[in-house]
Amino acid sequence: MRGFGSVRCPPEGAGRFPGPRLASIALLSVGACRTVAAPLRRCVVELTAAALAVWGKTGEASRDAAVAADEWHPLVAHLVDAANVAAWLWDHWLPKPLKDQVAAHLPGGAEDGRRLMSWLAALHDLGKASDFQSKSPFHARRGREAGLPFAERTKTPHSLVSAYALHGLLSEAGWSAEWPSLVIGGHHGVFPGPRWRATAKRALVYEHPGWAKVRREIFQAVTGHLGVDVREWRQVNLPVPVACAVAGAVILADWLASTESLYAYEGAFPDDYPQRSAARVHGVREVMGLRDVWRPDAELASKAPSEFYPTRWPRRINDPRDVQRRVLETAQGADGPGLMIVEAPMGDGKTEAALAAAEVLAAKTGADGILVALPTQATANQMFGRVSDWLKAQGGRTTVVLAHGKADRQDDYRTLLLRSVGVDECDGGITASRWLSGGKKRLLAPVVVGTIDQVLLAGVAVRHVALRHLGLTGKVLVIDEVHAYDAYMSTILRRVLAWLGALGVPVILLSATLPSRSRAELVSAYARREVPVPDDAEYPQVTWIGAGQRSAQAAEAKASKADVASVRFHDESEDPAGIVPLVRELLSEGGCALVIRNTVGRAQRTYDALAAAFGSDAVTLAHARFTMADRRAREQSLVDQFGPEQKARPSPHVVVATQVAEQSLDVDFDVLVSDLAPVDLLLQRLGRVHRHEDRARPERLRRPQLVVAGCRRLPDGPPRLPAGSVLVYGEHLLWRTAAALDGKAEIELPRAIPKLIEAVYGTERIGPDSWQRDLLRAADDERARRESMELAARQILLPEPDCPSLARIGDIGEGHEESDAQVQATVRLGARTIEVVLLRDSGRPGRARPVSGDERQEIPLDEAPPRKLIDVILDQAIRLPQQLTEAASQTAYTPPAWRRTPWLSDARVLLLPADGPLRLGGRLVTYGPALGLEDTRA
């Protein structure tokens, strides 16, 4: 027998099980010596040769080709590594709110919490002491020689064996709770199901009984080594949300302990290994690329708005707006975590207000991270720069992550990744981490800016959901444009809010416009009960409910400016070219017009007609069917010409856009012509008109104007709508919006916003008598559509956070990246789409040309492209519309020579002919720099 480690022994008989008495040598782990206050005394802890022969990792499974197949790391060594990593995470990374919740359920408080975390991490792979050992034939032979008891392999997942073995061992010590078993049973991302014990028992019926003895021996050694008395915790029962986050910490500890650069394969277990493992654990920070957590300024958090905002935004905010004051004061008046909903007009500084409130709530709750979630990659990219500037003003040294599938293509973020170290003082000491930028690890970074998908994945039963909960715990979550999500996504969001409420995570929701019903649903979701929510507050308003409170409060604020926008309808046929005389009239004295169409096809046809009338230099087109290169260049050009820094805008000029102009661009125009859309989106679009002050405007456009097009009013019924608009929004909201605006010559902003929202999204009768039959039929259709979406979401939701067991959390599959089709299908309901790299045949075998940028460049398809061309290739990415997806999935391909290039290994090329269109199914596809991707019937 060989010595394993010296520990503080539990009281006589505590944590003991039938078996041979053990002995010890003088070795202490960092976990034991940091948490034990009483003097240590010797205790016998030895392992047999058989137990020491059990492998935890082998070269056969290593991703490093330099590791020989016969190299191995003993299971006991891996368990010691995991325990030490978990202790390091407790000391240096785990958020205080989570540690406080764990400690509150343990008799020894924080000391017990640290020991518990190490103990659970150390036991996660206990089930590898089973027929799992036969997975490595080479090492199985060595194990047999050492006396390991092999039988016919049961093929039971070792995570399930871990859970079953631990449950049996703890039951002998008087435990009835199963949560520790489920925590370690979920360390591969999926918790055992409701009948997990019966399943494991049947699966192990033919297992050699000798394995149970080996597992008991390892369990006793690890438990004693960490100074754990299992009898002291047998009444402990962590709530399911806390246990889920703890399971996430166990997963993280396992991943880090499995990192070969941190813990190399040892071979035979050395006598001094616990000491060596403890010494290496400090390399965790370097592996994670973790500079520091985010540290809010507790002193500043108590300052008045007049001091707080100029400190954080010295060049932007000298005198905070009333909305910003109310938001900060609401956060300062909070007793702890809670949910805040900020409803204010576009341009009133909601983003800065949310960041200010986040810092205050973090200081109050002990949170050391923040996550800002937005609807799209484009909005996330823009927000990343704003959050980086905010961090810069703090002078902190923290790690940031941009969390979406195209994050590596954002220039500022890519610069941080390429440096892989902290930047200079002018960048506030922020850094990015390649390790934390990967897939499910993104939310573990202290500061995260990403798409809403990253948040919604914490509300569905995807693999490793516990890791996402760990990432959210200890952060302040800010969600922008919360009104922009459909019934499917909103159902998932409400479940996420329920779990975050249970975990005490502060949440801030931002919206320019929000129906009262939606506001009440969001508040009740966080509170996990129906609660009264004020619905009579004046707009703008700030709603707050603290964790555990039974009612919400609302604070009114004054808008930064009041205006009156004129409104009129322009009857239009299906042919968008009919809009030309209207735009010519509006811009008769010059000025800048924004024309928003509900579909790409309508936008392209409108652009053609306007370019013919005004000239192509005076018309710009923006939509989502340009390649990444062209879209980025167009959006930057729009900001350069119409953004906040540009005083002299081109005139006359027309920008024709789709919904991309609703959220992602900070631009200013004199007049808006928009297809009929739901009223909240019309108001959002109207926020791009007269957005910036001190602009020279033509006399006839000195007041904001909204012209509603994209419909034709009828004398005996609701307006006739283009088929594309109906497909996107449905008839119900479009017709109710038309009814709410019918007869109005002007809108008082922002005062009229709540009434318009309630009129459209409420259930009161609206519109003329001649519309009612059609409106009732459309309402029924909308109700059925919404119920169908909610039902689809409920099929994949996590259970409520007060569910009795982690075993109730199912698994609907894997999800790696936000751009993956499976992830899209999980959190965004809709037709499947495909992203391709769009290239043009060069006429030479094995060569293609880009469709955007320098089309003279040749891109090799039959060999790995040189590094200088990788960015060019990735810039040709484009997401195809639904009608092309099926055919493109069969036609697009990944060149075999590209599979060896990490950046291109999953890229799918769609090759256009050198001249003329590509026939794709029953469609003809072309691409040009003016219109982007076009598809027509063949």
Side-chain angles (χ1 to χ4, degrees):
M1 303 177 82
R2 295 183 60 186
F4 172 79
S6 123
V7 299
R8 183 185 72 163
C9 286
E12 188 65 28
R16 305 289 180 101
F17 301 91
R21 188 168 179 81
L22 306 176
S24 99
I25 59 177
L27 294 175
L28 280 173
S29 78
V30 66
C33 62
R34 282 291 305 274
T35 58
V36 178
L40 296 173
R41 57 189 178 86
R42 304 286 180 174
C43 142
V44 182
V45 180
E46 291 189 352
L47 288 170
T48 62
L52 289 169
V54 179
W55 58 266
K57 299 182 292 179
T58 73
E60 292 167 300
S62 175
R63 297 179 181 178
D64 186 350
V67 179
D70 61 349
E71 293 189 42
W72 67 293
H73 199 57
L75 175 60
V76 172
H78 179 54
L79 301 186
V80 171
D81 298 339
N84 285 322
V85 169
W88 187 94
L89 292 173
W90 180 278
D91 293 337
H92 302 286
W93 183 82
L94 286 180
K96 182 178 183 297
L98 176 60
K99 294 195 290 188
D100 287 347
Q101 291 184 71
V102 172
H105 290 84
L106 293 166
E111 289 187 0
D112 267 10
R114 186 175 187 273
R115 189 182 292 113
L116 172 70
M117 197 69 73
S118 295
W119 181 66
L120 290 171
L123 296 174
H124 76 280
D125 267 350
L126 184 63
K128 283 186 175 179
S130 66
D131 287 335
F132 173 87
Q133 293 292 300
S134 63
K135 285 189 68 174
S136 169
F138 178 86
H139 296 287
R141 288 195 298 272
R142 180 184 43 74
R144 285 191 180 91
E145 294 172 359
L148 289 178
F150 285 90
E152 182 179 353
R153 190 178 168 208
T154 62
K155 297 185 179 179
T156 308
H158 74 268
S159 56
L160 182 60
V161 179
S162 294
Y164 187 70
L166 181 60
H167 185 268
L169 292 164
L170 293 182
S171 295
E172 294 177 14
W175 283 63
S176 59
E178 64 178 15
W179 66 266
S181 303
L182 294 171
V183 163
I184 70 169
H187 78 268
H188 279 299
V190 180
F191 294 109
R195 297 181 55 81
W196 68 275
R197 277 181 281 170
T199 301
K201 184 176 181 180
R202 286 195 305 270
L204 295 175
V205 69
Y206 296 112
E207 183 188 58
H208 192 293
W211 282 117
K213 295 179 180 178
V214 175
R215 289 192 291 265
R216 179 187 299 274
E217 185 181 347
I218 294 173
F219 169 81
Q220 289 177 331
V222 169
T223 300
H225 179 62
L226 295 174
V228 171
D229 180 355
V230 295
R231 298 185 309 175
E232 293 181 355
W233 295 341
R234 59 190 172 191
Q235 301 302 320
V236 172
N237 196 7
L238 292 186
V240 168
V242 178
C244 187
V246 168
V250 170
I251 293 171
L252 178 58
D254 177 29
W255 286 0
L256 290 165
S258 299
T259 303
E260 291 162 22
S261 61
L262 185 62
Y263 289 113
Y265 292 177
E266 282 290 340
F269 186 77
D271 288 342
D272 64 345
Y273 188 76
Q275 291 172 317
R276 290 161 55 182
S277 175
R280 293 175 186 166
V281 76
H282 301 289
V284 167
R285 188 184 299 277
E286 182 178 353
V287 170
M288 294 180 69
L290 182 66
R291 168 168 281 185
D292 195 3
V293 296
W294 172 55
R295 300 187 184 278
D297 187 335
E299 182 179 353
L300 180 64
S302 63
K303 300 297 184 181
S306 58
E307 182 176 351
F308 186 102
Y309 284 98
T311 300
R312 280 288 173 257
W313 293 274
R315 285 186 283 182
R316 294 190 58 186
I317 304 178
N318 292 321
D319 183 19
R321 294 170 173 148
D322 197 52
V323 167
Q324 295 172 329
R325 291 176 179 273
R326 290 289 180 268
V327 169
L328 184 65
E329 290 165 354
T330 299
Q332 290 172 334
D335 294 328
L339 171 72
M340 180 185 295
I341 302 178
V342 182
E343 298 172 71
M346 294 69 72
D348 254 23
K350 292 190 296 294
T351 297
E352 289 77 14
L355 294 176
E359 186 164 7
V360 172
L361 292 174
K364 283 178 171 285
T365 62
D368 55 13
I370 182 173
L371 190 159
V372 183
L374 301 106
T376 66
Q377 293 181 1
T379 50
N381 286 344
Q382 288 195 351
M383 184 60 71
F384 182 79
R386 297 175 71 176
V387 171
S388 296
D389 290 343
W390 172 64
L391 293 171
K392 182 191 309 182
Q394 299 177 38
R397 300 170 59 83
T398 190
T399 303
V400 298
V401 161
L402 179 60
H404 63 69
K406 298 287 184 187
D408 288 350
R409 307 295 297 148
Q410 206 269 0
D411 290 341
D412 294 339
Y413 187 59
R414 180 165 56 172
T415 298
L416 288 179
L417 284 174
L418 291 175
R419 291 177 181 176
S420 294
V421 293
V423 295
D424 60 27
E425 295 175 358
C426 69
D427 287 317
I430 61 174
T431 185
S433 162
R434 179 65 67 182
W435 195 86
L436 287 171
S437 296
K440 304 159 195 168
K441 295 178 286 192
R442 291 167 172 157
L443 299 192
L444 302 177
V447 179
V448 183
V449 179
T451 56
I452 187 64
D453 306 62
Q454 305 300 322
V455 175
L456 296 183
L457 284 168
V460 297
V462 293
R463 202 173 187 90
H464 291 107
V465 69
L467 204 65
R468 296 184 182 275
H469 284 212
L470 174 66
L472 289 170
T473 305
K475 283 186 173 64
V476 180
L477 173 62
V478 178
I479 302 179
D480 199 6
E481 310 285 2
V482 74
H483 63 276
Y485 309 121
D486 60 23
Y488 180 83
M489 298 173 73
S490 295
T491 300
I492 300 174
L493 176 59
R494 290 194 294 271
R495 185 55 51 89
V496 174
L497 291 177
W499 279 79
L500 297 182
L503 284 166
V505 175
V507 179
I508 303 170
L509 306 179
L510 306 180
S511 177
T513 54
L514 198 62
S516 60
R517 182 181 65 183
S518 298
R519 185 188 313 120
E521 289 174 344
L522 293 168
V523 170
S524 295
Y526 186 85
R528 306 185 306 287
R529 65 173 71 89
E530 288 193 18
V531 296
V533 180
D535 59 3
D536 57 352
E538 291 291 327
Y539 180 85
Q541 71 178 67
V542 180
T543 305
W544 170 264
I545 184 166
Q549 292 182 353
R550 296 188 173 272
S551 63
Q553 300 85 42
E556 299 176 358
K558 297 177 182 178
S560 60
K561 65 177 182 177
D563 216 333
V564 177
S566 64
V567 182
R568 61 175 164 134
F569 279 83
H570 174 77
D571 290 332
E572 192 178 13
S573 66
E574 284 279 354
D575 181 9
I579 206 173
V580 172
L582 169 67
V583 176
R584 196 187 299 277
E585 171 204 338
L586 291 170
L587 300 185
S588 60
E589 299 177 3
C592 307
L594 174 63
V595 178
I596 297 185
R597 297 303 204 181
N598 290 338
T599 64
V600 172
R602 281 178 60 79
Q604 290 171 327
R605 295 194 299 274
T606 301
Y607 169 83
D608 275 338
L610 289 170
F614 288 86
S616 58
D617 291 342
V619 186
T620 301
L621 179 62
H623 58 69
R625 288 188 205 159
F626 284 103
T627 62
M628 181 174 289
D630 286 341
R631 185 171 177 179
R632 183 174 61 243
R634 285 171 179 271
E635 291 182 354
Q636 186 59 53
S637 175
L638 288 176
V639 173
D640 290 343
Q641 295 182 83
F642 306 99
E645 304 302 324
Q646 181 56 261
K647 303 298 183 183
R649 301 166 300 160
S651 175
H653 199 95
V654 186
V655 172
V656 181
T658 58
Q659 291 85 343
V660 298
E662 282 178 7
Q663 300 163 342
S664 60
L665 299 176
D666 184 7
V667 288
D668 175 281
F669 298 91
D670 300 316
V671 61
L672 169 67
V673 180
S674 172
D675 278 353
L676 179 63
V679 67
D680 53 330
L681 300 184
L682 275 182
L683 293 170
Q684 187 83 0
R685 296 173 183 184
L686 188 56
R688 301 307 185 248
V689 174
H690 288 224
R691 183 180 180 92
H692 303 136
E693 299 178 357
D694 302 325
R695 293 289 190 273
R697 307 185 193 277
E699 183 63 31
R700 67 172 299 158
L701 301 178
R702 293 188 69 81
R703 285 179 57 186
Q705 294 187 40
L706 166 63
V707 181
V708 181
C711 63
R712 175 174 287 278
R713 290 171 295 177
L714 303 174
D716 55 355
R720 180 174 297 159
L721 305 169
S725 294
V726 175
L727 183 65
V728 175
Y729 298 117
E731 295 171 318
H732 174 67
L733 293 178
L734 295 178
W735 282 343
R736 287 187 69 91
T737 297
L741 295 176
D742 187 42
K744 292 187 182 298
E746 57 186 32
I747 303 175
E748 188 177 352
L749 298 174
R751 186 175 181 181
I753 290 178
K755 293 180 179 178
L756 285 172
I757 295 297
E758 293 305 322
V760 172
Y761 283 89
T763 58
E764 297 295 323
R765 175 189 168 106
I766 192 172
D769 291 343
S770 60
W771 294 25
Q772 295 310 306
R773 182 176 179 180
D774 290 312
L775 284 173
L776 288 173
R777 189 260 307 159
D780 289 340
D781 291 345
E782 175 66 17
R783 187 181 305 109
R785 185 179 73 91
R786 186 173 60 249
E787 290 175 353
S788 175
M789 296 174 80
E790 291 173 349
L791 177 62
R794 286 196 291 270
Q795 305 307 306
I796 62 172
L797 286 180
L798 291 182
E800 294 282 359
D802 60 357
C803 68
S805 170
L806 289 170
R808 299 294 181 91
I809 298 177
D811 172 41
I812 60 171
E814 186 73 53
H816 291 284
E817 305 292 338
E818 183 255 334
S819 57
D820 284 354
Q822 187 174 8
V823 175
Q824 285 189 325
T826 300
V827 297
R828 295 182 185 258
L829 191 64
R832 185 172 68 94
T833 61
I834 182 176
E835 184 179 85
V836 299
V837 171
L838 196 63
L839 301 177
R840 201 180 307 278
D841 192 348
S842 70
R844 296 181 59 203
R847 294 293 184 270
R849 299 186 186 279
V851 297
S852 301
D854 185 356
E855 297 187 22
R856 296 170 299 176
Q857 298 182 88
E858 281 199 338
I859 294 174
L861 301 176
D862 55 359
E863 61 185 66
R867 182 180 295 273
K868 66 180 181 179
L869 285 181
I870 290 178
D871 281 346
V872 175
I873 294 170
L874 293 174
D875 270 346
Q876 311 307 305
I878 187 170
R879 186 161 293 278
L880 300 181
Q882 171 190 350
Q883 63 267 25
L884 300 179
T885 294
E886 183 176 354
S889 297
Q890 300 172 5
T891 305
Y893 72 104
T894 301
W898 289 16
R899 297 185 186 277
R900 298 187 296 272
T901 304
W903 289 88
L904 304 176
S905 59
D906 295 324
R908 303 181 70 176
V909 172
L910 185 64
L911 199 61
L912 299 178
D915 298 301
L918 170 68
R919 180 180 288 271
L920 205 57
R923 314 288 294 183
L924 297 177
V925 179
T926 60
Y927 187 90
L931 292 172
L933 187 81
E934 293 183 273
D935 76 285
T936 56
R937 293 184 183 275

